[in-house]
């Protein structure tokens, strides 16, 4: 026996739970897909395609739904001799300018051996290259700009839909599909871009629990062996998912984490209890990420509250956190923020779910104030604050926890 041994008790095909897995059928999204299909109908009619703007929060099936419909469109268009359809999908994540989009698009039409450099040309030159690639391709061309909200200047969003009207194209009929997680992106477009890019607007709403059950069941069937997943596991994942954000990706992640725990624990069933463990673990990861994204003052405020918690002083008012925070700030040599700004950081921490804030009444004098305490495992927060603790110094209230390397390493 080698050092590694395959374990396949739980999963038949774990990859089916990954986001990039393309299911054969989309479930629970019929109405929206029907509308999307109607918007694409001109392509089959041999007409100039609509420009479509699709928006909705993350994980609501925008990318999967687009792929699904376009795959069918390509297949069905092939039946008509007079339609020559080309589809190009570009994800704009990591690209911020129209220039970058244009160079990537040019390269999508070119062979690997003939790619252009993504820097160094004047913009007009790149656009000219794009028009000639499009005309060489000819026929109907659909360009999908996924996560289009990453683009900071809208030049390409103006140029592409107008290319034919502006005389830049004579052969190709192009249609743009812009996909965005962020509806405000549309509102911030200039009116001339908005009117051409958003000819057809589609919105995908968040999933409810029933829809998530359909999506998760479909994937679980492919991913897990028969009889491995307990009744109720899917429902529980879906219930959490619907409560959190109605995000199919997040729910699939939860199901996968649950399966992974079952595998790690060497059990042969995936149970409700494991869903709860998995959720906690994912949450912990998110909190750790949340903490690492805070500014130095956020870290100092949190460290101050944490030490007060350890001393049994919580729940505590902002003005009583202040002296500790101020002394920590002095210790690292930064000016403490004014009370109001410090309170903003407490607000942010409670929004992230790292601390909790409870509103209290002032009593007869009226008015309200807030009391704060930590809402997560102290050892875990401490671990995430490692660097701050190092800079400020180890406060006596947490010295035992920091000294015990083993306690901390549990959370790494
Ligand atoms: P978005 O692009 O809106 O952020 P995705 O299309 O990437 O979301 O969907 C996230 C994940 O959920 C993908 O793995 C996708 O396959 C799956 N998914 C989303 N909606 C459905 C659906 N209606 N049926 C089946 N799987 C879905
Ligand atoms: Mg997407």
């Amino acid at each position: 026996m080698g050092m590694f041994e395959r374990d396949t008790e739980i999963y038949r095909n774990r990859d089916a739970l990954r986001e990039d897995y393309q299911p054969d059928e989309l479930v629970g999204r019929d109405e929206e897909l029907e509308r999307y299909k109607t918007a694409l109908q001109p392509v089959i009619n041999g007409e100039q395609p609509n420009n479509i703007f699709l928006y909705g929060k993350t994980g609501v099936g925008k990318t999967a739904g687009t792929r699904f419909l376009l795959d069918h469109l390509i297949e069905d268009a092939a039946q008509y001799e007079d339609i020559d359809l080309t589809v190009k999908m570009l994800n704009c994540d990591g690209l911020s300018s129209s220039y970058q989009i244009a160079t990537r698009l040019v390269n999508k039409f070119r062979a690997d051996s003939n790619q252009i450099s993504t820097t160094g040309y004047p913009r007009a030159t790149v656009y000219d290259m794009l028009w000639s690639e499009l005309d060489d391709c000819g026929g109907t061309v659909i360009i999908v700009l996924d996560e289009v909200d990453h683009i900071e200047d809208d030049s390409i969003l103006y140029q592409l839909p107008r290319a034919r009207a502006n005389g830049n194209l004579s052969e190709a009929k192009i249609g743009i599909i812009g996909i965005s997680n962020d509806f405000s992106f549309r509102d911030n477009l200039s009116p001339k871009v908005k009117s051409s890019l958003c000819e057809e607007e589609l919105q995908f709403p968040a999933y409810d629990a029933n829809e998530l059950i359909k999506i998760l069941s479909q994937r679980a069937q492919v991913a897990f062996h028969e009889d491995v997943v307990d009744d109720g596991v899917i429902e529980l994942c879906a219930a959490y998912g619907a409560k959190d954000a109605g995000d199919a990706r997040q729910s699939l992640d939860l199901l996968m984490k649950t399966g992974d725990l079952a595998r790690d624990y060497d059990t042969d069933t995936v149970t409700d209890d494991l869903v709860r463990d998995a959720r906690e673990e994912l949450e912990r990861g998110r909190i750790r990420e949340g903490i690492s994204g805070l500014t130095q003052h956020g870290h100092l405020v949190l460290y101050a509250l944490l030490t007060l918690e350890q001393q049994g002083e919580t729940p505590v008012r902002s003005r009583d956190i202040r002296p500790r925070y101020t002394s920590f700030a002095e210790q690292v040599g930064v000016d403490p923020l004014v009370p109001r700004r410090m309170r903003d950081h407490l607000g942010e921490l409670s929004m992230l779910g790292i601390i909790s804030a409870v509103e209290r009444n002032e009593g007869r004098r009226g008015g309200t104030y807030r009391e704060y305490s930590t809402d997560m495992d102290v050892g875990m927060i401490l671990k995430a604050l490692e660097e701050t603790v190092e800079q400020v110094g180890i406060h006596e209230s947490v010295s035992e926890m920091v000294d015990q390397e083993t306690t901390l390493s549990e959370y790494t």
Side-chain angles (χ1 to χ4, degrees):
M1 188 63 63
M3 190 196 268
F4 292 97
E5 201 186 323
R6 244 190 202 181
D7 51 14
T8 49
E9 312 266 292
I10 296 283
Y11 289 120
R12 192 196 335 246
N13 176 10
R14 181 176 179 272
D15 289 348
L17 298 177
R18 289 169 51 103
E19 108 160 77
D20 48 15
Y21 177 88
Q22 179 75 22
D24 294 338
E25 288 292 327
L26 289 195
V27 286
R29 188 99 292 179
D30 298 346
E31 252 173 68
E32 287 78 12
L33 291 179
E34 196 53 44
R35 235 171 291 144
Y36 203 162
K37 197 179 138 217
T38 306
L40 291 167
Q41 183 62 33
V43 174
I44 287 292
N45 298 344
E47 300 153 7
Q48 166 87 26
N50 288 315
N51 297 313
I52 299 172
F53 184 72
L54 167 61
Y55 65 96
K57 295 211 179 108
T58 63
V60 296
K62 299 185 300 299
T63 302
T66 301
R67 282 227 180 89
F68 174 75
L69 285 183
L70 290 177
D71 284 351
H72 278 282
L73 187 67
I74 291 168
E75 203 180 304
D76 295 345
Q79 322 268 324
Y80 300 91
E81 265 172 36
D82 57 336
I83 304 176
D84 170 19
L85 173 64
T86 306
V87 172
K88 301 287 182 196
M89 272 185 104
L90 180 66
N91 190 310
C92 306
D93 188 9
L95 307 174
S96 60
S97 67
S98 290
Y99 182 89
Q100 290 174 315
I101 303 293
T103 55
R104 264 54 166 203
L105 285 176
V106 167
N107 283 334
K108 289 235 169 225
F109 288 93
R110 290 187 168 216
D112 282 349
S113 56
N114 199 19
Q115 301 274 296
I116 62 166
S117 155
T118 53
T119 54
Y121 298 99
R123 181 153 91 184
T125 308
V126 176
Y127 281 0
D128 282 341
M129 289 178 184
L130 182 56
W131 309 141
S132 64
E133 291 301 334
L134 282 163
D135 262 346
D136 284 351
C137 175
T140 305
V141 184
I142 293 187
I143 296 175
V144 182
L145 300 174
D146 201 353
E147 308 195 25
V148 67
D149 39 310
H150 287 99
I151 308 181
E152 283 160 12
D153 67 295
D154 57 14
S155 145
I156 189 92
L157 300 179
Y158 178 67
Q159 293 290 341
L160 268 177
R162 302 271 173 125
R164 214 177 156 95
N166 291 346
N168 291 319
L169 291 180
S170 52
E171 300 301 320
K173 290 188 251 183
I174 61 173
I176 311 300
I177 300 179
I179 305 178
S180 174
N181 291 327
D182 175 6
F183 188 58
S184 66
F185 176 77
R186 173 200 170 280
D187 290 341
N188 295 331
L189 291 172
S190 68
K192 59 180 189 179
V193 174
K194 203 184 300 180
S195 67
S196 48
L197 181 66
C198 311
E199 269 176 339
E200 292 280 343
E201 272 183 27
L202 299 167
Q203 190 214 344
F204 279 14
Y207 287 119
D208 64 23
N210 285 325
E211 290 160 341
L212 289 173
I213 288 176
K214 286 187 193 162
I215 294 169
L216 294 175
S217 310
Q218 180 201 43
R219 294 290 182 94
Q221 240 171 23
V222 184
F224 293 102
H225 284 295
E226 236 170 284
D227 300 330
V228 161
V229 180
D230 268 2
D231 289 348
V233 163
I234 301 282
E235 281 79 359
L236 190 56
C237 287
Y240 280 136
K243 185 172 143 243
D244 289 343
D247 174 338
R249 184 181 298 117
Q250 204 177 318
S251 304
L252 285 163
D253 282 348
L254 177 59
L255 185 58
M256 177 148 83
K257 186 86 207 166
T258 308
D260 288 355
L261 287 181
R263 187 162 72 173
D264 293 348
Y265 297 164
D266 250 341
T267 65
D268 49 13
T269 37
V270 180
T271 61
D272 279 13
D273 282 341
L274 289 179
V275 177
R276 294 189 187 92
D277 291 353
R279 183 173 147 86
E280 218 176 279
E281 203 165 302
L282 288 174
E283 193 132 280
R284 250 189 247 158
R286 267 199 304 115
I287 299 298
R288 207 157 35 213
E289 225 169 82
I291 290 179
S292 77
L294 297 173
T295 63
Q296 185 182 28
H297 286 288
H299 291 148
L300 292 170
V301 170
L302 181 59
Y303 187 26
L305 179 63
L306 188 84
T307 57
L308 291 165
E309 174 102 22
Q310 279 305 96
Q311 292 173 311
E313 303 282 335
T314 54
V316 58
R317 296 180 65 158
S318 151
R319 65 174 184 210
D320 298 322
I321 303 173
R322 191 161 177 79
R324 175 89 27 106
Y325 157 73
T326 308
S327 92
F328 282 180
E330 277 161 8
Q331 257 157 287
V332 296
V334 298
D335 290 333
L337 299 171
V338 296
R340 198 192 160 74
R341 291 286 300 121
M342 189 196 107
R343 266 204 310 277
D344 289 345
H345 282 284
L346 288 166
E348 190 182 356
L349 286 162
S350 76
M351 236 162 55
L352 287 168
I354 299 166
I355 71 174
S356 65
V358 177
E359 198 106 347
R360 300 247 181 247
N361 284 314
E362 198 79 70
R364 233 178 285 155
R365 283 184 296 130
T368 59
Y369 60 92
R370 295 174 137 215
E371 284 186 338
Y372 301 93
S373 41
T374 62
D375 205 19
M376 299 292 301
D377 186 279
V378 169
M380 209 191 83
I381 300 179
L382 203 55
K383 177 69 197 166
L385 285 176
E386 210 166 36
E387 228 170 275
T388 309
V389 174
E390 212 165 276
Q391 286 164 356
V392 173
I394 301 171
H395 190 264
E396 55 181 10
S397 64
V398 294
S399 65
E400 263 182 36
M401 301 190 73
V402 177
D403 286 343
Q404 285 171 358
E405 273 302 301
T406 45
T407 315
L408 281 179
S409 62
E410 270 176 42
Y411 299 96
T412 48

